[in-house]
Amino acid sequence: MKSIDYLNWSLLVFHELDSTYESSKQLDTLLESFATSFVDNKTDFKRVYSSNKALIGVVLNSDENLEELVKFVRKTNPKIPIIVLTEKDSSTIPLQVLNSINLVMNIFEDSIPFLTGQLEIEFEKYIKSIKPIFFGELIDYTQKFKYPWHTPGHAGGLMFMTNPIGKMMLDFYGENTLRADLSISVPELGSLLDDEGPVKDAENNSARVFSADKTYYILNGTSSVNQVIWKGRVTKDNLAFVDRNCHKSLNYGMVITEAIPMYMIPRRNSLGIIGPVKLNEFTKEYIDTMIAENSKLTAEQKKQKIKMSALTNSTYDGLCYNVNKIKETLNNNVENLHFDEAWYAYAKFHPIYKNHYAMTESDNFIEHPPIFASHSTHKLLGAFSQASMLHVKDGTKDKVDFVVFDEAYLMYGSTSPQYSMIASLDVSTAMMDFSGKKLMDETILNAIHFRKRIAQLNKEYASFNQWFFSLWQPEKVSYNGVLTNFEDVPDKYLLENQNCWTLDSSNNWHGFNDIEKDYVMLDPIKLTLKCPGLNIDGNYEEIGIPASILSNYIIDKGVVNEKTDTYSLLFLHSIGTTITKQEALIKVLMDFKKDFDKNTPLIEIFPELVNSYPEKYSTKGLKDHCLDMHKYIIESKLLELMDKAFQIIPKQELTPAEASREVFRGNIEHLPIKDCMNRVAGVIVVPYPPGIPVLMGGEKIDETSKPILDFLLAREEFERIFPGYFSDIHGIEAFVDNDGIRRFHTMVIKN
């Protein structure tokens, strides 16, 4: 029983109050060696059972509620031991109950030690059945209490006991964390790079659970997953067809492989939200035209097939592609298809996402090339930071040679892997395999609850002619053939019907006027909160609340969002998000409204900002501040400039790899952005928001691409007008020049 005690498991016992004294006394004796919670009514039983996930078994000493309680338990856990206590024989127990329980036990017919042993056997079987493959072996190994004479040097935490600073760390992380920090010198746990032992078994199990033909555990993040995929399938001068809304690691993938990129341009709506690539960009005709018009390609290169096509799925704001539609449209016109699903690892586990994820199981009737998916398992599932998965599905005709592909994997894998990270990937897999559908049911339903709460509050404030925040979501949904207000549609219907979330041109709540039918859906658990200031038609409103101000406000109140755009914020409603957490966000939004309406002085709200820039903010209230920034955004045409900048693909003078070589040779200049006209970018330039590259290394800033320069200069000026609201732009450094003016600088290739 040591492993059970170690994991702090407990028993839940339903014991009716009208039981005989002898029965109660015998039961107490039987259970005295177990941590036990007693309840005497079904309401408390259901509440305790639902809230306690460390139950090792359920004991039912009841006749009247027996069938109901057994059904309730089995609905959520098909494996947990259910023991029925009775002073009669089992003939009085319904057949359906007998088929669903583990033991019928008469506590007067055998000795207590014997009955205790029977319970222990059931509990051990249960632990063994749910214990993840690798994590289980890791637990068992650390419980052998071996003396380590191998790396890592802290020797299971012993080093930290020799020093008060180390003791601090030992106390914080706990002994088990450090004893489980092992090295490849432990053969019992297998090898990540040699693909053997429990590690291999865990990866194979993940492949089964995520519907892949092969899965790799990668411990240095999805940035490395993306580069492994490209290194394993793409080489010098191969053609790549890439979503411009790609993570910067894909750009580095093109640098490393020396591929020649062409780009798909994602749509943007009037709110600035990044939308989907047009479906016709996957057609053979469009791809052939792109190749034919690319002046960088030689006549021989133009005869090539696209080696890799890469698409971000889902987008930051939760737009998910119908993968089968893309496969049908591509019609095998590319050799490899890569979906960067960093934020979307949970999609396989709920039918609401059917056909909208890379490893979809309904693709055996569509011809397709090998498909690769990148999963940041640490982002929205339960893995530790940097723990990611790479999933591969063979093509219908072209199969992946994994012996060759492994060479790319080995290039990016450490020979000193972190075993706790491996365990976290194993556990994430096991959790979703065990109850993924239920977990996602609860998560989506809770997200729907939050969406409705915001919609109801917005409507209530509007009845008093007051503003409030809203969510980017359908305002109306087709329910029983009638367009019905979103908040009036039953939760269960929204949970079970994908069409409620599918973007449609006839119900244009989303702002993408030319959206294709059944092509893209909104992920219910990605919550884009809209601030007053800009409507879906692109018209500015009288009251405007720039999202950066709201973001700073809620952070100071202990609520942290994922992404901040100009007039919107993104919140991720992940597994484990509670109603209490929702209410904390709602409360802080209501507090912001109160402070805005009262025009609370900024010194009370952002004292650090005011003290840093007193000449700008000391006389302002929150409302003044919001309206000043809103007015500036309108008058400077900042959003219009942004929109124009992202509709342009500049002329490619050098490939990303060629530009990178020039950078590392030192053949570059550091110039203010204002002086970059007719120069070639040395590095990728990615403004956040929106997180899409405006420039890739090797692209030229000329008269055609001047809107990009105009936008960057407008952002630069915005930061001078509103100090303290400094942006994050990859590839840009901002500092004060000799003339005392703060400017953006970047690297360009020397002429």
Side-chain angles (χ1 to χ4, degrees):
M1 294 297 294
K2 179 170 60 180
S3 63
I4 296 172
D5 295 339
Y6 165 71
L7 291 171
N8 299 313
W9 295 96
S10 63
L11 268 173
L12 176 58
V13 181
F14 185 99
H15 183 51
E16 292 182 328
L17 291 175
D18 60 357
S19 299
T20 65
Y21 171 76
E22 291 81 7
S23 176
S24 297
K25 185 178 179 181
Q26 191 79 343
L27 181 62
D28 287 343
T29 306
L30 173 63
L31 301 177
E32 65 183 7
S33 59
F34 303 99
T36 308
S37 297
F38 283 92
V39 294
D40 58 19
N41 63 82
K42 63 182 182 182
T43 301
D44 284 347
F45 176 88
K46 291 179 179 180
R47 183 180 294 119
V48 174
Y49 175 81
S50 297
S51 62
N52 188 353
K53 304 306 178 188
L55 292 174
I56 198 169
V58 171
V59 176
L60 301 175
N61 184 20
S62 168
D63 293 327
E64 182 179 343
N65 300 296
L66 185 60
E67 189 166 357
E68 179 184 350
L69 296 181
V70 169
K71 283 182 179 178
F72 177 79
V73 172
R74 282 290 175 248
K75 184 179 179 181
T76 58
N77 191 328
K79 295 183 177 181
I80 190 169
I82 301 177
I83 294 91
V84 173
L85 300 182
T86 180
E87 297 177 31
K88 309 167 189 175
D89 60 44
S90 63
S91 62
T92 60
I93 300 175
L95 180 61
Q96 189 174 355
V97 172
L98 282 173
N99 284 330
S100 300
I101 65 176
N102 297 72
L103 283 177
V104 177
M105 189 176 282
N106 188 318
I107 56 176
F108 292 104
E109 286 190 345
D110 282 297
S111 69
I112 293 299
F114 180 85
L115 295 176
T116 300
Q118 289 277 300
L119 292 178
E120 289 183 356
I121 289 170
E122 291 299 324
F123 301 156
E124 290 282 7
K125 280 162 51 179
Y126 174 57
I127 292 295
K128 187 175 181 180
S129 73
I130 66 168
K131 191 183 286 185
I133 299 165
F134 180 83
F135 182 53
E137 293 289 341
L138 186 62
I139 290 174
D140 291 344
Y141 182 85
T142 57
Q143 288 301 294
K144 292 176 181 176
F145 302 106
K146 296 185 177 184
Y147 285 109
W149 289 75
H150 53 71
T151 60
H154 63 70
L158 290 172
M159 176 186 286
F160 299 122
M161 297 180 183
T162 66
N163 180 285
I165 301 167
K167 184 64 167 60
M168 227 190 311
M169 185 168 179
L170 175 64
D171 291 344
F172 180 78
Y173 282 106
E175 185 173 341
N176 287 321
T177 300
L178 299 169
R179 290 203 179 277
D181 184 21
L182 301 165
S183 81
I184 56 170
S185 301
V186 180
E188 296 99 314
L189 297 175
S191 170
L192 188 65
L193 299 186
D194 292 336
D195 199 25
E196 63 182 18
V199 177
K200 177 181 180 179
D201 295 339
E203 286 181 321
N204 288 344
N205 187 51
S206 292
R208 174 189 64 83
V209 171
F210 286 89
S211 300
D213 290 320
K214 188 168 178 62
T215 291
Y216 294 86
Y217 288 176
I218 294 184
L219 306 186
N220 39 349
T222 305
S223 295
S224 288
V225 175
N226 290 340
Q227 292 188 44
V228 170
I229 292 169
W230 280 64
K231 189 66 179 177
R233 302 298 284 178
V234 181
T235 190
K236 181 176 170 57
D237 292 338
N238 283 166
L239 304 185
F241 192 39
V242 185
D243 182 0
R244 191 75 172 189
N245 178 26
C246 67
H247 189 264
K248 62 186 180 183
S249 60
L250 285 173
N251 177 65
Y252 296 141
M254 289 184 280
V255 169
I256 290 165
T257 60
E258 301 187 71
I260 302 172
M262 292 170 285
Y263 298 101
M264 302 171 250
I265 307 176
R267 286 169 277 205
R268 289 167 55 82
N269 67 12
S270 296
L271 295 174
I273 292 172
I274 303 163
V277 170
K278 292 181 179 179
L279 183 59
N280 69 3
E281 294 193 17
F282 296 102
T283 61
K284 186 177 189 305
E285 294 75 19
Y286 185 89
I287 292 171
D288 287 347
T289 301
M290 287 279 289
I291 293 173
E293 293 178 352
N294 191 321
S295 59
K296 281 289 293 179
L297 301 180
T298 65
E300 195 62 31
Q301 287 170 334
K302 288 183 178 182
K303 296 176 184 178
Q304 290 185 47
K305 196 173 182 179
I306 296 289
K307 190 70 173 180
M308 178 71 76
S309 181
L311 192 66
T312 304
N313 188 42
S314 69
T315 66
Y316 234 143
D317 287 281
L319 294 180
C320 318
Y321 290 93
N322 186 326
V323 169
N324 282 346
K325 278 230 169 185
I326 291 172
K327 286 188 288 192
E328 288 170 344
T329 307
L330 276 171
N331 196 24
N332 223 17
N333 292 318
V334 300
E335 293 187 21
N336 298 278
L337 191 52
H338 173 201
F339 290 95
D340 185 348
E341 296 187 338
W343 300 82
Y344 196 45
Y346 50 83
K348 189 260 181 183
F349 302 98
H350 201 278
I352 198 77
Y353 303 108
K354 182 180 179 182
N355 296 335
H356 285 70
Y357 57 94
M359 296 291 110
T360 177
E361 295 174 85
S362 56
D363 66 349
N364 54 350
F365 56 90
I366 303 172
E367 186 174 340
H368 63 81
I371 298 174
F372 300 83
S374 320
H375 279 181
S376 293
T377 321
H378 60 94
K379 282 191 167 75
L380 287 171
L381 291 183
F384 290 169
S385 290
Q386 287 190 250
S388 300
M389 293 191 201
L390 190 169
H391 303 293
V392 187
K393 186 181 286 291
D394 274 327
T396 46
K397 294 179 180 177
D398 183 15
K399 309 302 179 184
V400 177
D401 185 339
F402 288 110
V403 175
V404 173
F405 191 77
D406 283 354
E407 290 301 309
Y409 174 65
L410 292 170
M411 289 178 69
Y412 287 86
S414 171
T415 54
S416 301
Q418 224 291 345
Y419 276 55
S420 295
M421 291 173 69
I422 299 172
S424 74
L425 289 167
D426 183 32
V427 168
S428 294
T429 299
M431 287 178 67
M432 299 310 288
D433 190 31
F434 186 81
S435 59
K437 168 67 163 56
K438 179 179 180 296
L439 291 172
M440 290 309 301
D441 271 347
E442 293 173 353
T443 302
I444 296 169
L445 283 170
N446 283 342
I448 289 168
H449 171 270
F450 181 81
R451 289 177 178 278
K452 288 186 172 184
R453 282 277 282 131
I454 294 294
Q456 288 159 353
L457 283 168
N458 187 280
K459 185 182 291 186
E460 190 172 344
Y461 276 112
S463 69
F464 297 105
N465 293 317
Q466 294 187 36
W467 65 268
F468 195 62
F469 304 97
S470 60
L471 285 166
W472 185 61
Q473 65 185 28
E475 294 177 8
K476 294 181 180 291
V477 167
S478 179
Y479 175 58
N480 292 334
V482 178
L483 275 180
T484 306
N485 287 336
F486 178 88
E487 61 270 24
D488 297 329
V489 177
D491 291 359
K492 192 170 187 293
Y493 188 84
L494 293 168
L495 174 70
E496 295 177 351
N497 289 272
Q498 189 182 82
N499 63 288
C500 296
W501 307 96
T502 303
L503 276 59
D504 192 290
S505 57
S506 63
N507 179 18
N508 191 6
W509 55 267
H510 43 80
F512 300 109
N513 299 323
D514 56 349
I515 198 70
E516 300 86 345
K517 188 175 179 59
D518 298 326
Y519 176 45
V520 176
M521 66 172 284
L522 174 66
D523 187 342
I525 72 170
K526 304 274 176 56
L527 307 169
T528 298
L529 186 85
K530 295 193 298 178
C531 300
L534 184 66
N535 64 31
I536 195 66
D537 297 321
N539 296 317
Y540 289 102
E541 298 165 340
E542 183 178 351
I543 291 178
I545 297 171
S548 56
I549 298 176
L550 176 62
S551 178
N552 288 347
Y553 183 96
I554 67 173
I555 287 171
D556 287 347
K557 300 280 187 176
V559 176
V560 185
N561 62 298
E562 174 59 39
K563 175 178 75 87
T564 303
D565 221 308
T566 311
Y567 288 98
S568 66
L569 286 78
L570 176 68
F571 296 87
L572 302 176
H573 199 293
S574 56
I575 295 171
T577 299
T578 61
I579 299 298
T580 302
K581 186 175 174 180
Q582 291 181 359
E583 291 300 325
L585 173 54
I586 290 169
K587 177 65 168 60
V588 79
L589 294 176
M590 295 176 74
D591 287 346
F592 182 95
K593 176 174 169 51
K594 288 178 188 176
D595 281 325
F596 178 93
D597 292 343
K598 291 191 302 182
N599 200 23
T600 302
L602 282 185
I603 190 65
E604 296 179 23
I605 297 172
F606 302 133
E608 189 174 327
L609 178 70
V610 174
N611 290 330
S612 297
Y613 308 100
E615 71 287 349
K616 175 67 181 179
Y617 301 118
S618 61
T619 62
K620 299 289 185 180
L622 182 60
K623 184 175 182 178
D624 300 328
H625 184 41
C626 289
L627 296 183
D628 283 351
M629 191 179 290
H630 178 55
K631 181 181 178 183
Y632 181 84
I633 290 169
I634 296 171
E635 292 178 349
S636 66
K637 301 187 183 301
L638 187 62
L639 287 182
E640 290 89 330
L641 291 169
M642 180 191 292
D643 190 56
K644 288 178 182 177
F646 285 105
Q647 295 305 312
I648 293 168
I649 302 295
K651 181 182 178 183
Q652 189 180 101
E653 292 286 329
L654 303 171
T655 66
E658 290 167 342
S660 180
R661 278 198 292 271
E662 295 302 314
V663 169
F664 291 122
R665 285 170 180 157
N667 189 30
I668 50 96
E669 295 179 80
H670 297 271
L671 289 183
I673 285 289
K674 68 182 182 66
D675 298 330
C676 287
M677 191 65 176
N678 295 316
R679 302 301 296 268
V680 175
V683 294
I684 185 173
V685 176
V686 187
Y688 296 92
I692 294 180
V694 285
L695 281 170
M696 303 289 272
E699 292 180 342
K700 186 173 185 178
I701 303 171
D702 55 18
E703 200 57 43
T704 303
S705 57
K706 185 174 178 294
I708 295 171
L709 192 64
D710 294 338
F711 165 61
L712 291 172
L713 289 171
R715 281 284 290 261
E716 178 187 86
E717 179 67 15
F718 173 85
E719 294 182 18
R720 288 197 288 263
I721 299 295
F722 294 97
Y725 290 88
F726 301 138
S727 54
D728 175 16
I729 306 180
H730 180 88
I732 294 285
E733 289 185 273
F735 51 83
V736 177
D737 282 342
N738 292 332
D739 59 5
I741 298 175
R742 185 178 185 274
R743 292 192 177 92
F744 289 173
H745 298 72
T746 192
M747 282 188 278
V748 296
I749 308 298
K750 284 182 180 177
N751 287 331

